[in-house]
Amino acid sequence: MKEEKLRVLLKDMSLKEKIGQMMQLDVSCFRNEGPVTGSEVDQEIAGEDLTLAGSILGAVGAEEIKDLQKRCMEKQPHHIPIVFMADIINGYKTIFPIPLALGCTFSQEDARMVGDIMAKESAADGLHVTFAPMVDLVRDARWGRVMESTGEDPYLNSRMAEAMVWGIQGEGEHYEGHLGACTKHFAAYGAPTAGKEYNNVELSERTLREDYLPSYQAAIDAGSAMVMTSFNTLDRIPATGNQWLMRKILREEMGFDGVLVSDYNAIGELMTHGVAEDKKEAARQALEAGIDLDMMSGCYIGGLEELVKEGKIREELIDEAVLRILRLKNRLGLFEDPYRGLEDQDTAREIFTEENRAKARKAAVDSMVLLENQEGFLPLKKEEKVAFIGPFVEDKHILGAWSFFGDIEQAVACCQGIKEKGAQAVFERGCGMVNPGQTLYGFRYNMTNTESWEEIDALIERAAKTAADCDKVVLLIGEAPIQTGEGSSRGDITIPEAQKKLLDAVTKVNKNTAAVIFAGRPLDIRDVKEKTKAILYAWMPGTEGGHAVADILYGDAEPQGRLSMSLPWSVGQVPVFYGELSTGRHIEDGEWVENRFLSRYSDMPNQPLYPFGYGLGYTEFSYSEVRLDKEEIRMGEPLQVSVTVKNTGSRRGTETVQLYVTDKVGSVARPMRQLKGFTKLTLEPGESKDAVFDLTSEDLRFYTRSMEYKAEPGDFIVWVGANSRTKNGKKFKLR
Ligand code: GLC
C-alpha cells in the first residue's frame, strides 16, 4: 500500500481504534489462559478491546495464526491485519547454539546463516517478527541472560548483530520468506548491578555510548525493523519512560525510525519502579518517550484516550506511533496478503529439514571452544576404550533457555552422536543435571531430581568403577539450560554439588579424564581445570549438539571457537573482561609482585581463567611479526596491517586472527586494548597465509573529554594474534 493510503487510513480511524493498534497482547489472552510470563499483569482489557489489539505475541503455527488473523480482522473496524511476533532467538524447530556460543564462531557467515534459517522456518509457519537479535553487551556471568548475547566486546557484538539482522530479514522488499527483526533490549540491560536480573544499571554516559550502544547502532544500520525497550533504569530513569534515551539517543542520534515496542509489561512497571503513580501516568510517560507498542501492560488501551480528552497528551504522538505500526505492517505486505502466503504453501517444506540440521551441526562445531588439551588427549582414537560419564550423556536438554518452539526429543544426545562413531565407548549417567531433592523453576518447564543422595552416591560409585576400567574418561557435565535465560541470575556459578562429587570420584581412579562443559554462561570451572587433561566448552549447542560433540571428540571436526566472553577464575572477579582500563596502579598481565598497593585481589589472580578470544584447535599456528605499510598516518589515511600465519601442526586447522588496538594516551583513560578486526584462516599443515587489515582514524574514535566522538593524535600499538592477550604488537603514530 502506498504511504498516502496509509495516511488516509490513519485519518479515518477513531482514537480508540488507533490506540488498539498500539496494544500487543500475548496469545494466551486469546486462548483464555493466564499470562505466561513476567510480572502479574492486571490487564483491565474488556472483551471488545481485546479485538482491537494490533499485535499478538507468542502465537506460532500456521493454523492458529490463520485463525486468529481471520477472527481479529473481521472485528477490526478497518479490518487492519494483526502483526504476529514471538521469541525466535536461536532457532524455531531446528535449534542452533545459543547466541553466546554463536559469538564464539567469530563468523558473520554463521550468524547470518542462523538468522536466515530460523526466520525461514518460523515465517513458513506464520510468524511476522522475531524479538531478536538480543545485542546487549554482557560482562557479568552471574546474569542469566548472557546466553542470549554474543558477548563482552562492542566490536564483535556489532558484527554479529548486523549479520543476524541481515539473516533474519533476508533481502526481499517485504522480508519475503523471512521476518522483521526486533533488536533488544534498549538499552544496557546487560549491565545490571550485581548481575541481578532486572536490576538497576549504573553507567557513565561515556561507557554507555562507547561500549553498550555500538551493537544497537549496528543492528539499526543493518535495517532492523523494530527495537525493544529494556526493563532497567539508566541514571535512575526506567528506559521505557526515558525520553533522553528513546527520543534523543535512539531516534535522533542513532536514526531509528521504526516501531519501538516495550518489553513485557515494562510500561506497567513504571509504577513498580516508582516513577508513575498509576497506569494513566505510566502511559503518558511511555508515549512521551516514544514507545509505539505497549506489550501486555494494558496502560495504553486503558489510559491514552482519557489523556487525549483531558488535553494531557497530543493526539499527534498517537498518530506518529500508529503510522509507524501501519508502515511495519505494510513493509511486511500484510495489507495485500494478511496470511503472507500461508494458504498456498506447504509450510513443512522449510521446517526441520536435513539441510537445516546439517547447518545446525556445523554452527555447533564452530561455536565450541577447546580450552585445554594436554598431552594431545583429544582427539580420541576409536580403538581406545572410553567411558562417557555424566548427566549430559543421555539428557537432551541442550537447546538453551529460549528454544520453546524446538522439540527437546528431536535433539541428538551425546550418547547417540558417540555411538554413531562406532568407537569403543561405555556410558554412565553418574548423576543428574540437578542436585538430589532440588527443583529448578524454568520459564516454560521445571526440572527436578527426586533421587536421594544415597542413590546418587551409588551411581557415582558405579561410574568410578567403570572409569577405572577404561583407557580414558570424558565427563559430560555442566548447568541445566533453565539455569540461564530470563530470571536466572546466580551468585554461585560453579557446577552442581553432585557433579563435583562425580568429578572427584572419577578423576581419583583415572587421571586420563577430559570434560565437556554444557552451560549458558561462563562457569567457574577451576576445579575441572585442576583435575582434567582436556576441556571442551560446548555451551548449549542445540538440536545437533550430540553430533557436534562427537565430531570434535573423535577429530572428524576441528574445534575452532574462540571465547566471546571471559571465563572468570571465580565469581569474585565478575564483571571481568579484557577491555578494562589500566587504573593508576596497574599490574601487568599475570604478574605477581609483593607490592600490595596495586589494582588487584590479594586472594586470587586478576586475570580470568580464560580470556576473551581464547581457544585451541588440534593444530598449532605461528604468527610473523606485525607488518605496517607506514609508521604514521594522518586523520582519514588508511594503515595496512598484516601478519603471516602458518599452520605448524600436522592437521588442517582454522585460526581466528584477531586485531586489537591500544591508544597509549587520550584525553580520557582508554581501555588497555580494544578489538578492531578479526578474520578466519583455514590452513593445511605447513601452509601459510597473510591476514590483512585496513585501519583508519575512524577505527580509533572515542568519546573525548569534551564528549566529542573522534580520534585524537598520538601513539598507538596494534596487536595481531590468537586472543586478547597477544604480545605480537607494533607501534604507529596518528598525526
Ligand atoms: C520477555 C523478555 C523479552 C521477550 C519478551 C516477549 O520478558 O525480556 O526479551 O522478547 O518478554 O517474550
Side-chain angles (χ1 to χ4, degrees), residues 697-718:
S697 51
E698 294 275 294
D699 302 304
L700 309 176
R701 289 176 295 173
F702 66 100
Y703 284 88
T704 63
R705 189 167 294 210
S706 56
M707 284 303 276
E708 293 174 271
Y709 187 58
K710 64 178 189 177
E712 291 176 342
D715 293 335
F716 293 80
I717 302 173
V718 57

Side-chain angles (χ1 to χ4, degrees), residues 507-526:
T507 52
K508 197 174 289 172
V509 298
N510 194 329
K511 295 297 176 214
N512 278 333
T513 296
V516 181
I517 306 286
F518 295 84
R521 59 161 52 85
L523 293 174
D524 167 355
I525 56 167
R526 255 175 300 161

Side-chain angles (χ1 to χ4, degrees), residues 104 367-374 378 514-519 521-526 528-529 532-539 552 559-568 608-618 723:
C104 295
S367 66
M368 293 182 187
V369 185
L370 183 64
L371 298 173
E372 296 287 344
N373 193 22
Q374 297 157 21
L378 296 176
V516 181
I517 306 286
F518 295 84
R521 59 161 52 85
L523 293 174
D524 167 355
I525 56 167
R526 255 175 300 161
V528 180
K529 181 173 193 278
T532 61
K533 292 185 175 174
I535 301 175
L536 178 69
Y537 219 85
W539 303 104
I552 289 179
Q560 54 180 282
R562 299 291 183 264
L563 288 177
S564 56
M565 191 175 175
S566 307
L567 238 70
L609 198 64
Y610 298 101
F612 175 82
Y614 175 85
L616 302 173
Y618 285 152
N723 61 61

Side-chain angles (χ1 to χ4, degrees), residues 377-583:
F377 188 97
L378 296 176
L380 302 170
K381 298 177 187 62
K382 292 185 179 174
E383 57 276 15
E384 289 173 321
K385 187 176 179 191
V386 182
F388 294 90
I389 299 173
F392 287 91
V393 166
E394 290 178 358
D395 198 307
K396 297 185 172 188
H397 284 87
I398 54 176
L399 306 186
W402 279 97
S403 53
F404 312 130
F405 307 109
D407 178 354
I408 284 182
E409 285 319 305
Q410 292 180 314
V412 176
C414 290
C415 59
Q416 179 188 334
I418 290 159
K419 283 174 185 163
E420 288 175 10
K421 295 298 177 187
Q424 277 213 67
V426 291
F427 303 96
E428 293 286 355
R429 177 167 162 266
C431 68
M433 214 178 275
V434 182
N435 282 328
Q438 186 186 19
T439 293
L440 298 173
Y441 296 93
F443 214 167
R444 296 283 172 101
Y445 64 90
N446 301 332
M447 293 179 79
T448 192
N449 183 338
T450 55
E451 294 166 300
S452 67
W453 272 108
E454 291 69 27
E455 288 172 297
I456 292 298
D457 288 342
L459 278 175
I460 289 174
E461 192 180 335
R462 178 192 147 121
K465 280 207 179 73
T466 302
D469 187 31
C470 290
D471 303 318
K472 289 182 176 179
V473 178
V474 178
L475 288 166
L476 298 159
I477 53 179
E479 68 175 351
I482 58 175
Q483 288 184 279
T484 47
E486 186 172 353
S488 346
S489 292
R490 292 176 67 192
D492 170 0
I493 55 172
T494 61
I495 60 175
E497 213 45 49
Q499 295 180 40
K500 287 176 186 161
K501 291 183 81 169
L502 181 65
L503 168 70
D504 290 347
V506 164
T507 52
K508 197 174 289 172
V509 298
N510 194 329
K511 295 297 176 214
N512 278 333
T513 296
V516 181
I517 306 286
F518 295 84
R521 59 161 52 85
L523 293 174
D524 167 355
I525 56 167
R526 255 175 300 161
D527 49 359
V528 180
K529 181 173 193 278
E530 279 156 25
K531 296 187 167 86
T532 61
K533 292 185 175 174
I535 301 175
L536 178 69
Y537 219 85
W539 303 104
M540 284 290 151
T543 303
E544 286 292 319
H547 279 146
V549 165
D551 288 346
I552 289 179
L553 290 180
Y554 280 98
D556 295 331
E558 186 232 0
Q560 54 180 282
R562 299 291 183 264
L563 288 177
S564 56
M565 191 175 175
S566 307
L567 238 70
W569 192 89
S570 149
V571 71
Q573 284 183 334
V574 298
V576 59
F577 56 100
Y578 85 91
E580 293 178 342
L581 306 187
S582 69
T583 77

